[in-house]
PDB file of all heavy atoms in Angstrom:
ATOM      1  N   ALA A 388      42.261 -55.859 -26.711  1.00 97.00           N
ATOM      2  CA  ALA A 388      42.155 -54.598 -27.435  1.00 97.00           C
ATOM      3  C   ALA A 388      43.565 -53.991 -27.650  1.00 97.00           C
ATOM      4  O   ALA A 388      43.821 -53.370 -28.698  1.00 97.00           O
ATOM      5  CB  ALA A 388      41.266 -53.627 -26.647  1.00 97.00           C
ATOM      6  N   VAL A 389      44.439 -54.136 -26.628  1.00 97.00           N
ATOM      7  CA  VAL A 389      45.778 -53.548 -26.689  1.00 97.00           C
ATOM      8  C   VAL A 389      46.799 -54.641 -26.334  1.00 97.00           C
ATOM      9  O   VAL A 389      47.366 -54.653 -25.240  1.00 97.00           O
ATOM     10  CB  VAL A 389      45.907 -52.366 -25.730  1.00 97.00           C
ATOM     11  CG1 VAL A 389      47.211 -51.608 -26.023  1.00 97.00           C
ATOM     12  CG2 VAL A 389      44.733 -51.398 -25.897  1.00 97.00           C
ATOM     13  N   PRO A 390      47.027 -55.610 -27.212  1.00 97.00           N
ATOM     14  CA  PRO A 390      47.902 -56.747 -26.863  1.00 97.00           C
ATOM     15  C   PRO A 390      49.335 -56.352 -26.509  1.00 97.00           C
ATOM     16  O   PRO A 390      49.980 -57.073 -25.738  1.00 97.00           O
ATOM     17  CB  PRO A 390      47.851 -57.637 -28.117  1.00 97.00           C
ATOM     18  CG  PRO A 390      47.373 -56.712 -29.209  1.00 97.00           C
ATOM     19  CD  PRO A 390      46.468 -55.729 -28.570  1.00 97.00           C
ATOM     20  N   ALA A 391      49.794 -55.249 -27.038  1.00 97.00           N
ATOM     21  CA  ALA A 391      51.168 -54.829 -26.715  1.00 97.00           C
ATOM     22  C   ALA A 391      51.363 -54.525 -25.223  1.00 97.00           C
ATOM     23  O   ALA A 391      52.473 -54.556 -24.725  1.00 97.00           O
ATOM     24  CB  ALA A 391      51.552 -53.594 -27.564  1.00 97.00           C
ATOM     25  N   SER A 392      50.286 -54.222 -24.558  1.00 97.00           N
ATOM     26  CA  SER A 392      50.331 -53.860 -23.143  1.00 97.00           C
ATOM     27  C   SER A 392      49.763 -54.955 -22.256  1.00 97.00           C
ATOM     28  O   SER A 392      49.400 -54.713 -21.088  1.00 97.00           O
ATOM     29  CB  SER A 392      49.561 -52.567 -22.883  1.00 97.00           C
ATOM     30  OG  SER A 392      50.156 -51.476 -23.570  1.00 97.00           O
ATOM     31  N   ALA A 393      49.672 -56.210 -22.766  1.00 97.00           N
ATOM     32  CA  ALA A 393      49.005 -57.291 -22.040  1.00 97.00           C
ATOM     33  C   ALA A 393      49.639 -57.513 -20.679  1.00 97.00           C
ATOM     34  O   ALA A 393      48.909 -57.731 -19.665  1.00 97.00           O
ATOM     35  CB  ALA A 393      49.057 -58.572 -22.865  1.00 97.00           C
ATOM     36  N   ALA A 394      50.971 -57.518 -20.595  1.00 97.00           N
ATOM     37  CA  ALA A 394      51.646 -57.789 -19.326  1.00 97.00           C
ATOM     38  C   ALA A 394      51.353 -56.693 -18.288  1.00 97.00           C
ATOM     39  O   ALA A 394      51.026 -57.002 -17.133  1.00 97.00           O
ATOM     40  CB  ALA A 394      53.148 -57.919 -19.510  1.00 97.00           C
ATOM     41  N   ASP A 395      51.428 -55.449 -18.694  1.00 96.00           N
ATOM     42  CA  ASP A 395      51.145 -54.341 -17.786  1.00 96.00           C
ATOM     43  C   ASP A 395      49.687 -54.362 -17.360  1.00 96.00           C
ATOM     44  O   ASP A 395      49.382 -54.083 -16.165  1.00 96.00           O
ATOM     45  CB  ASP A 395      51.402 -53.006 -18.489  1.00 96.00           C
ATOM     46  CG  ASP A 395      52.926 -52.770 -18.714  1.00 96.00           C
ATOM     47  OD1 ASP A 395      53.705 -53.408 -18.038  1.00 96.00           O
ATOM     48  OD2 ASP A 395      53.242 -51.982 -19.611  1.00 96.00           O
ATOM     49  N   ILE A 396      48.792 -54.690 -18.244  1.00 97.00           N
ATOM     50  CA  ILE A 396      47.346 -54.797 -17.886  1.00 97.00           C
ATOM     51  C   ILE A 396      47.135 -55.868 -16.884  1.00 97.00           C
ATOM     52  O   ILE A 396      46.441 -55.643 -15.871  1.00 97.00           O
ATOM     53  CB  ILE A 396      46.547 -55.071 -19.180  1.00 97.00           C
ATOM     54  CG1 ILE A 396      46.593 -53.860 -20.128  1.00 97.00           C
ATOM     55  CG2 ILE A 396      45.117 -55.413 -18.849  1.00 97.00           C
ATOM     56  CD1 ILE A 396      46.148 -54.163 -21.549  1.00 97.00           C
ATOM     57  N   ALA A 397      47.694 -57.044 -17.103  1.00 97.00           N
ATOM     58  CA  ALA A 397      47.507 -58.148 -16.127  1.00 97.00           C
ATOM     59  C   ALA A 397      48.075 -57.813 -14.756  1.00 97.00           C
ATOM     60  O   ALA A 397      47.421 -58.053 -13.746  1.00 97.00           O
ATOM     61  CB  ALA A 397      48.180 -59.431 -16.673  1.00 97.00           C
ATOM     62  N   GLY A 398      49.240 -57.185 -14.717  1.00 95.00           N
ATOM     63  CA  GLY A 398      49.820 -56.810 -13.416  1.00 95.00           C
ATOM     64  C   GLY A 398      48.998 -55.762 -12.711  1.00 95.00           C
ATOM     65  O   GLY A 398      48.811 -55.813 -11.483  1.00 95.00           O
ATOM     66  N   ALA A 399      48.486 -54.760 -13.474  1.00 94.00           N
ATOM     67  CA  ALA A 399      47.684 -53.707 -12.834  1.00 94.00           C
ATOM     68  C   ALA A 399      46.429 -54.230 -12.236  1.00 94.00           C
ATOM     69  O   ALA A 399      46.003 -53.855 -11.153  1.00 94.00           O
ATOM     70  CB  ALA A 399      47.412 -52.624 -13.855  1.00 94.00           C
ATOM     71  N   VAL A 400      45.753 -55.120 -12.968  1.00 95.00           N
ATOM     72  CA  VAL A 400      44.482 -55.679 -12.509  1.00 95.00           C
ATOM     73  C   VAL A 400      44.713 -56.609 -11.306  1.00 95.00           C
ATOM     74  O   VAL A 400      43.925 -56.677 -10.343  1.00 95.00           O
ATOM     75  CB  VAL A 400      43.700 -56.365 -13.649  1.00 95.00           C
ATOM     76  CG1 VAL A 400      42.438 -57.085 -13.108  1.00 95.00           C
ATOM     77  CG2 VAL A 400      43.337 -55.391 -14.742  1.00 95.00           C
ATOM     78  N   ALA A 401      45.816 -57.369 -11.356  1.00 93.00           N
ATOM     79  CA  ALA A 401      46.117 -58.259 -10.217  1.00 93.00           C
ATOM     80  C   ALA A 401      46.385 -57.472  -8.959  1.00 93.00           C
ATOM     81  O   ALA A 401      46.169 -57.969  -7.846  1.00 93.00           O
ATOM     82  CB  ALA A 401      47.343 -59.119 -10.562  1.00 93.00           C
ATOM     83  N   SER A 402      46.881 -56.234  -9.052  1.00 90.00           N
ATOM     84  CA  SER A 402      47.088 -55.408  -7.884  1.00 90.00           C
ATOM     85  C   SER A 402      45.769 -55.027  -7.256  1.00 90.00           C
ATOM     86  O   SER A 402      45.669 -54.893  -6.042  1.00 90.00           O
ATOM     87  CB  SER A 402      47.856 -54.126  -8.274  1.00 90.00           C
ATOM     88  OG  SER A 402      49.141 -54.433  -8.754  1.00 90.00           O
ATOM     89  N   VAL A 403      44.706 -54.885  -8.070  1.00 87.00           N
ATOM     90  CA  VAL A 403      43.401 -54.481  -7.549  1.00 87.00           C
ATOM     91  C   VAL A 403      42.623 -55.699  -7.059  1.00 87.00           C
ATOM     92  O   VAL A 403      41.867 -55.601  -6.097  1.00 87.00           O
ATOM     93  CB  VAL A 403      42.596 -53.750  -8.688  1.00 87.00           C
ATOM     94  CG1 VAL A 403      41.178 -53.483  -8.230  1.00 87.00           C
ATOM     95  CG2 VAL A 403      43.263 -52.482  -9.101  1.00 87.00           C
ATOM     96  N   ALA A 404      42.827 -56.846  -7.708  1.00 90.00           N
ATOM     97  CA  ALA A 404      42.112 -58.069  -7.332  1.00 90.00           C
ATOM     98  C   ALA A 404      43.120 -59.175  -7.017  1.00 90.00           C
ATOM     99  O   ALA A 404      43.236 -60.132  -7.794  1.00 90.00           O
ATOM    100  CB  ALA A 404      41.193 -58.481  -8.476  1.00 90.00           C
ATOM    101  N   PRO A 405      43.803 -59.062  -5.895  1.00 91.00           N
ATOM    102  CA  PRO A 405      44.924 -60.013  -5.620  1.00 91.00           C
ATOM    103  C   PRO A 405      44.483 -61.480  -5.499  1.00 91.00           C
ATOM    104  O   PRO A 405      45.253 -62.358  -5.837  1.00 91.00           O
ATOM    105  CB  PRO A 405      45.506 -59.494  -4.310  1.00 91.00           C
ATOM    106  CG  PRO A 405      44.438 -58.657  -3.709  1.00 91.00           C
ATOM    107  CD  PRO A 405      43.699 -58.050  -4.872  1.00 91.00           C
ATOM    108  N   SER A 406      43.293 -61.724  -4.986  1.00 89.00           N
ATOM    109  CA  SER A 406      42.864 -63.108  -4.811  1.00 89.00           C
ATOM    110  C   SER A 406      42.624 -63.809  -6.145  1.00 89.00           C
ATOM    111  O   SER A 406      42.565 -65.023  -6.198  1.00 89.00           O
ATOM    112  CB  SER A 406      41.585 -63.177  -3.985  1.00 89.00           C
ATOM    113  OG  SER A 406      40.488 -62.597  -4.657  1.00 89.00           O
ATOM    114  N   GLN A 407      42.522 -63.061  -7.214  1.00 92.00           N
ATOM    115  CA  GLN A 407      42.306 -63.626  -8.543  1.00 92.00           C
ATOM    116  C   GLN A 407      43.557 -63.623  -9.405  1.00 92.00           C
ATOM    117  O   GLN A 407      43.491 -63.841 -10.627  1.00 92.00           O
ATOM    118  CB  GLN A 407      41.200 -62.848  -9.268  1.00 92.00           C
ATOM    119  CG  GLN A 407      39.856 -62.826  -8.519  1.00 92.00           C
ATOM    120  CD  GLN A 407      38.847 -62.026  -9.248  1.00 92.00           C
ATOM    121  OE1 GLN A 407      38.499 -62.277 -10.415  1.00 92.00           O
ATOM    122  NE2 GLN A 407      38.314 -61.016  -8.580  1.00 92.00           N
ATOM    123  N   ALA A 408      44.730 -63.368  -8.815  1.00 94.00           N
ATOM    124  CA  ALA A 408      45.954 -63.218  -9.615  1.00 94.00           C
ATOM    125  C   ALA A 408      46.212 -64.404 -10.481  1.00 94.00           C
ATOM    126  O   ALA A 408      46.508 -64.186 -11.731  1.00 94.00           O
ATOM    127  CB  ALA A 408      47.132 -62.969  -8.635  1.00 94.00           C
TER     128      ALA A 408
END
Side-chain angles (χ1 to χ4, degrees):
V389 191
S392 298
D395 292 338
I396 291 164
V400 175
S402 296
V403 175
S406 67
Q407 301 178 58

